[in-house]
Amino acid sequence: MKWSKSLIQTLRDNPQDAEIDSHKLLMRAGLARKVAGGLYAYLPLGMRSLKKIQQIVREEMDRAGALEIVSPVLQPAELWRTTGRWDTMGPNMFKLRDRGEHEFALGPTAEEVFTDIAKGLISSYRQLPVTIYQIQWKFRDETRPRFGLMRSKEFLMKDAYSFDTDAEGADRSYWNMYRAYERIYARCGLKAVPVQADGGDMGDSMTHEFHVLADAGEDGIAFCDGCGYAANLEKAERRAAPCADAGCPAFEEVATPDARTIEEVAAFLKLPADRFVKSLVYVADGRPVMVCVPGDRDVNDVKLKRLLGAKSVALADFETVLKATGANAGFVGPVKPADAALRVVADVSLKGATGRIVGANKEGYHLKDVDLARDTKLSDADFADLVVVQAGDVCPKCGKPMVIKRGIEVGQVFKLGTKYSAAFNATYKNDKLEEHVMIMGCYGVGVSRTLQAVIEQSHDKDGIIWPAAVAPYQVCICLLDPAEPEVAKVADELESALEARGIDVIVDDRAERPGVKFKDADLIGFTVRVVVGAKGLANGGVEIKRRDEDKSKTRVVAPADAPAAIAEALA
Ligand SMILES: [Zn+2]
């Protein structure tokens, strides 16, 4: 391919809405172009990398025995109503009507469609296990699309669904996909780590997310170097001992006018934040509940849900707080709330806590010297691990301190059980002709997101550094004297020789200065750069350098030896 015919357009400046490096580079290197907020066109270079990632995903799915199909983007509402998700998916789902007033969704995922298809295709245990997948565009009406392809309204996803006769089979299907994902990311040149994640509606069911570690990642992940424990902060647990506080005198009220936040009260009373109990009123499935955590910690909603056995939890509004406690948020606490029947729960680290400061349930006042066991209704069953894990918290598995890193989620594997197959009555007959519901798993790879994750993980100040497997072109030949027939001939022959080896190559034949060509080659980040010029040829050959190497590693080889040397540099 000749650069002059490639419609490549690099940009000098970062787009204004780009917050993270990979988004900036995606646009500056001319891989994609914004059509509207959260909507992107993939330009020729970006399309080439996207197709390479798709192909890796496809090959590994096929190798794992999965069968490719494609289902419509436009999905009828009836399928979503079968599982109740037409109503529970919320405003993230694009909904529309056709001219006959029939309702449809632009698929954000495809559990319903695939379960319905499997129900129609599968009748006997002899057809199982089976995994079917597609690579298809998905849609989410993001409140705030950002980070380029990371959080866009339209994205390319591989989604797979497994169907099994029993739990052991479903387990095998799960790990089969898990291993396929490890291969996919490794082949894309990505370091993606599997981490335990929250099962959401599915309760304790098994799920792993694959994360690319990057400071720009939206997800926090707790890691233990001691035993390898890794979990999304939504899910991450910690081991916390009850406190061994000494007794304290009877509590007393202290005036804390105008001090509402822990920081303000701490400053006012000149006490450290961890002496405070932070009390928050939540509404769990419609009923108020007070949650107490150490003053310097945050409540983990997922853990709270689990302790309460609730379907939904959310912070209570102003009126609910006032009615339940008798005060406004900022002055509420677990001692004698206005609603004597208000349930109070607390983080396990507060068990045995004495001498604490809590809100007095009275505007402008706190209580000091509170003994939670003595002064509240908290019983043993009300204590649990309820906070978001922080760096230094103790690993639940081995007891070593954990660290927190940031990650970009590029894939997830999930055991679904019978949630969807039961709703659709998707059954098979066993060898005794008895009918049973199939057991399912679902497995997603964010294909377009993976493209950007590669850039986020592999770049420097000059631009992208593409791993050879997913580079738009693996080799860029910078032709320094395109007007000189002899030099152009060497470049043409080298291009043909590389293509004959299955290496894709672009020849920068523009009438630009060398500096411009080098800058663009570095910005786009072709894996290997080859410089062909009259001066170099007179001095013995062409210059070969990998994008991830510095100038000192440049080697000069005779044109005849260049194809082999380039192939070696790519390997
Ligand atoms: Zn550990």
Side-chain angles (χ1 to χ4, degrees):
M1 168 59 73
K2 298 288 190 280
W3 194 301
S4 56
K5 304 285 179 210
S6 66
L7 287 181
I8 294 173
Q9 188 183 57
T10 56
L11 307 176
R12 191 188 312 227
D13 298 315
N14 289 318
Q16 290 203 329
D17 63 345
E19 298 166 63
I20 60 175
D21 288 351
S22 54
H23 184 189
K24 293 172 188 167
L25 289 171
L26 185 77
M27 311 312 283
R28 281 187 54 210
L31 299 169
R33 171 158 294 197
K34 184 163 120 179
V35 173
L39 295 172
Y40 292 87
Y42 294 79
L43 301 180
L45 284 180
M47 193 62 202
R48 290 181 64 88
S49 287
L50 189 70
K51 277 166 75 178
K52 288 184 180 185
I53 295 169
Q54 272 188 70
Q55 191 52 27
I56 290 171
V57 170
R58 183 172 282 122
E59 284 171 16
E60 292 302 334
M61 283 298 105
D62 294 350
R63 185 170 154 195
L67 305 169
E68 185 170 9
I69 69 165
V70 67
S71 76
V73 163
L74 205 55
Q75 303 177 354
E78 297 87 82
L79 291 180
W80 289 87
R81 290 211 166 93
T82 303
T83 54
R85 291 210 295 175
W86 183 258
D87 298 315
T88 57
M89 285 297 283
N92 277 340
M93 188 153 82
F94 279 104
K95 295 176 177 176
L96 63 156
R97 289 167 194 269
D98 70 6
R99 65 179 77 199
E101 291 295 310
H102 303 105
E103 291 178 296
F104 292 87
L106 292 180
T109 174
E111 282 83 3
E112 280 80 357
V113 177
F114 271 65
T115 309
D116 192 48
I117 289 169
K119 175 186 162 84
L121 289 173
I122 298 164
S123 54
S124 161
Y125 73 99
R126 290 192 187 87
Q127 295 167 289
L128 300 174
V130 69
T131 297
I132 42 184
Y133 78 97
Q134 67 175 347
I135 300 175
Q136 177 63 293
W137 294 95
K138 304 289 191 301
F139 296 82
R140 274 178 72 98
D141 194 357
E142 291 284 350
T143 332
R144 194 182 160 211
R146 59 199 295 221
F147 306 136
L149 308 180
M150 296 286 188
R151 196 157 280 289
S152 51
K153 289 183 174 172
E154 183 176 353
F155 50 95
L156 189 60
M157 218 178 117
K158 185 283 299 178
D159 45 330
Y161 306 85
S162 64
F163 300 87
D164 276 273
T165 57
D166 54 26
E168 293 73 43
D171 196 55
R172 275 193 296 275
S173 295
Y174 181 89
W175 291 107
N176 185 33
M177 282 293 122
Y178 182 103
R179 285 188 297 273
Y181 279 32
E182 288 182 318
R183 296 195 297 269
I184 286 168
Y185 299 119
R187 283 184 61 187
C188 289
L190 271 178
K191 282 197 265 315
V193 291
V195 311
Q196 293 179 29
D198 175 55
D201 292 347
M202 312 300 303
D204 283 329
S205 61
M206 166 114 73
T207 175
H208 285 88
E209 294 169 348
F210 287 78
H211 280 267
V212 171
L213 298 184
D215 292 339
E218 286 193 87
D219 292 292
I221 303 163
F223 280 97
C224 171
D225 288 336
C227 69
Y229 176 77
N232 190 309
L233 284 187
E234 284 182 353
K235 157 94 179 175
E237 292 162 22
R238 82 200 208 283
R239 212 186 273 176
C243 19
D245 291 355
C248 65
F251 67 80
E252 59 179 292
E253 219 171 70
V254 285
T256 50
D258 301 328
R260 288 168 180 278
T261 67
I262 297 279
E263 291 72 27
E264 286 165 359
V265 183
F268 184 79
L269 294 177
K270 299 189 174 62
L271 286 165
D274 66 1
R275 287 286 91 197
F276 289 77
V277 173
K278 190 195 276 183
S279 307
L280 300 160
V281 180
Y282 276 76
V283 174
D285 292 348
R287 300 176 65 164
V289 56
M290 183 180 288
V291 186
C292 298
V293 297
D296 54 351
R297 305 296 301 238
D298 294 317
V299 175
N300 177 318
D301 289 3
V302 172
K303 293 178 181 178
L304 178 62
K305 258 195 209 171
R306 189 158 305 160
L307 173 68
L308 299 173
K311 281 204 168 64
S312 76
V313 299
L315 276 171
D317 61 18
F318 165 84
E319 281 164 29
T320 309
V321 174
L322 190 61
K323 198 167 156 222
T325 67
N328 290 314
F331 298 107
V332 308
V335 182
K336 298 199 173 76
D339 174 2
L342 180 70
R343 173 147 192 217
V344 180
V345 296
D347 183 63
V348 63
S349 65
L350 290 175
K351 212 169 179 177
T354 69
R356 301 301 169 116
I357 296 143
V358 304
N361 296 322
K362 181 175 166 187
E363 198 70 13
Y365 288 88
H366 280 75
L367 304 178
K368 68 170 193 177
D369 285 326
V370 168
D371 177 331
L372 288 184
R374 180 189 68 192
D375 304 328
T376 75
K377 293 196 308 174
L378 281 158
S379 70
D380 278 2
D382 299 322
F383 288 96
D385 174 20
L386 286 180
V387 301
V388 179
V389 162
Q390 290 177 351
D393 277 349
V394 172
C395 171
K397 292 267 181 315
C398 77
K400 292 227 168 71
M402 295 184 280
V403 295
I404 308 292
K405 293 178 183 171
R406 310 297 304 172
I408 299 164
E409 187 195 332
V410 287
Q412 185 165 18
V413 291
F414 212 121
K415 282 190 183 176
L416 292 173
T418 58
K419 177 178 174 176
Y420 296 92
S421 45
F424 279 87
N425 196 31
T427 59
Y428 68 94
K429 286 202 174 71
N430 69 10
D431 56 356
K432 298 183 185 71
L433 296 178
E434 297 159 341
E435 217 167 305
H436 291 281
V437 171
M438 294 186 279
I439 299 174
M440 292 176 59
C442 72
Y443 317 92
V445 170
V447 177
S448 44
R449 186 182 264 222
T450 296
L451 171 77
Q452 197 177 322
V454 171
I455 301 172
E456 191 61 44
Q457 193 169 74
S458 188
H459 70 273
D460 63 15
K461 63 176 177 35
D462 296 321
I464 304 167
I465 305 171
W466 284 106
V470 293
Y473 292 94
Q474 293 165 305
V475 176
C476 177
I477 298 176
C478 291
L479 178 52
L480 296 193
D481 305 287
E484 300 224 5
E486 267 312 300
V487 183
K489 186 166 165 272
V490 170
D492 278 345
E493 283 171 3
L494 184 54
E495 182 185 11
S496 303
L498 289 172
E499 280 170 354
R501 286 173 177 254
I503 294 168
D504 49 16
V505 42
I506 186 161
V507 180
D508 190 349
D509 58 342
R510 295 175 295 170
E512 290 282 1
R513 287 177 293 111
V516 172
K517 297 190 176 193
F518 297 161
K519 244 193 154 94
D520 276 346
D522 280 352
L523 173 60
I524 297 169
F526 306 107
T527 314
V528 170
R529 187 185 80 188
V530 183
V531 180
V532 179
K535 203 168 132 200
L537 288 175
N539 287 332
V542 302
E543 288 179 9
I544 298 171
K545 185 184 94 65
R546 283 167 54 118
R547 174 65 178 83
D548 62 357
E549 294 170 339
D550 66 38
K551 255 199 224 149
S552 67
K553 296 278 175 61
T554 305
R555 43 230 178 260
V556 177
V557 301
D561 299 329
I566 291 165
E568 193 184 313
L570 284 170

